[in-house]
């Protein structure tokens, strides 16, 4: 795939994404039911090639089964049945997922089940001996192991995908993760990194100007490390930078930068109109799609090839309508 031609709207193949099996309607929950996610199954499935898994089934707990919970030290809890049997199921549970965790290097994201002592990403209760939960919460045992094994992999809970900003951020990271893996070879040349970075400059700037400058220095030619080492460093910095949603003020800064590319191409009144809409976005009166669409229209006609190729305009498939919600 030529680097300059990549757009999420023209994916050659669906993106490999892991998912808790219950979210696709598999009857694997403790009560023999499921937690089907319409958004995951009927919307994101148009773009994602799911690899589904249930760690509790893999551990041989069967269905229906007694409910499970975490107990003890929140930093290193054990898994037990909710009905106190005194049985430590931690090793059994982990052994059921160990081989599976070895097979996930090809994934570009993972969606897990909320509130699960196995799959929850955060806020999972850990119970004390007196039966009350600790104030400190944790991740489910499987998801904690997943995130420790693949720290740059985009992971999100199904429930958090209902939040427009968290949903936007997760999809942004999945498509960026996928683009990087397919655009930058295993044994890269410096030009491969520079070509990728040239498309992502303004997306990075929208998340952090200091990181935008740091990545520029990394690729300036002054870093003596081997290119493969620079690739690993770049990817770590990039995915960490994108791990939190971009703030509105940062988007405004990027939009104003991009208006500058029209300085010698369109009338000053048009630029003023665009900046007025950017200001409306800054005040929260319109969503990001409004100034973005207006600006992109003029840049498509009057902008350089460099600007037209910016992933900032289409970091994920436009039919998802994500920027209508943020």
């Amino acid at each position: 795939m030529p680097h300059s031609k990549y757009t999420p709207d023209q994916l050659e193949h669906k993106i490999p994404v892991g998912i808790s099996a219950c979210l696709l309607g598999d009857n694997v929950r403790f009560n023999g039911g499921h937690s089907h996610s319409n958004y995951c199954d009927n919307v994101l499935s148009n773009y994602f090639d799911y690899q589904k898994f249930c760690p509790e089934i893999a551990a041989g707990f069967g269905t229906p089964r007694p409910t499970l919970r975490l107990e003890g030290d929140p930093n290193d809890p054990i898994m037990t049945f909710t009905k106190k049997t005194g049985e430590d199921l931690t090793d059994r549970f982990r052994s059921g997922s160990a081989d599976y965790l070895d097979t996930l290097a090809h994934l570009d994201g993972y969606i897990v089940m909320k509130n699960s002592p196995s799959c929850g990403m955060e806020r999972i209760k850990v119970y004390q001996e007196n039966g009350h939960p600790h104030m400190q919460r944790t991740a489910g045992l499987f998801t904690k192991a997943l995130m420790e094994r693949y720290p740059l992999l985009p992971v999100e809970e199904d429930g958090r995908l209902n939040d427009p900003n968290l949903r936007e951020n997760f999809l942004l990271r999945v498509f960026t993760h996928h683009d990087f893996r397919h655009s930058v070879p295993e044994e890269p040349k410096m030009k491969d990194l520079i070509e990728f970075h040239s498309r992502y400059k303004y997306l990075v700037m929208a998340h952090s100007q200091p990181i935008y400058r740091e990545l520029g220095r990394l690729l300036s030619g002054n870093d003596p490390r081997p290119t493969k080492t620079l690739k690993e460093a770049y990817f770590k910095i990039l995915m960490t930078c994108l791990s939190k949603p971009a703030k509105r003020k940062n988007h405004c800064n990027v939009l104003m930068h991009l208006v500058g590319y029209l300085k010698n191409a369109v009338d000053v009144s048009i630029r003023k109109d665009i900046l007025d809409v950017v200001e409306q976005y800054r005040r929260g009166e319109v969503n990001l799609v409004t100034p973005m669409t207006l600006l992109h229209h003029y840049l498509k006609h009057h902008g350089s090839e460099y600007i037209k190729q910016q992933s900032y305009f289409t970091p994920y498939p436009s039919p998802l309508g994500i920027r209508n919600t943020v």
Side-chain angles (χ1 to χ4, degrees), residues 123-140:
R123 305 184 308 280
I124 304 304
K125 295 177 181 179
V126 180
Y127 289 86
Q128 307 172 75
E129 287 187 7
N130 62 13
H132 296 291
H134 283 274
M135 292 293 292
Q136 181 180 339
R137 303 299 167 93
T138 189

Side-chain angles (χ1 to χ4, degrees), residues 6 9 19 26-28 42 53 101 121 143 148 152 154-155 160 169 202 205 209 263 280 289 305-306 309 317:
Y6 175 89
D9 289 340
I19 191 168
D26 287 17
N27 294 316
V28 294
N42 298 325
F53 181 71
L101 284 168
M121 193 180 80
T143 300
E148 288 176 348
L152 303 182
V155 178
R160 284 166 49 101
N169 182 252
Y202 286 104
M205 183 186 285
Q209 288 194 53
K263 184 175 181 180
Q280 291 175 5
V289 69
E305 284 302 310
Y306 165 74
Q309 292 171 11

Side-chain angles (χ1 to χ4, degrees), residues 218-231:
L218 190 73
L219 303 181
S220 66
N222 296 320
D223 194 311
R225 290 178 291 177
T227 307
K228 189 171 182 178
T229 302
L230 291 178
K231 171 192 172 181

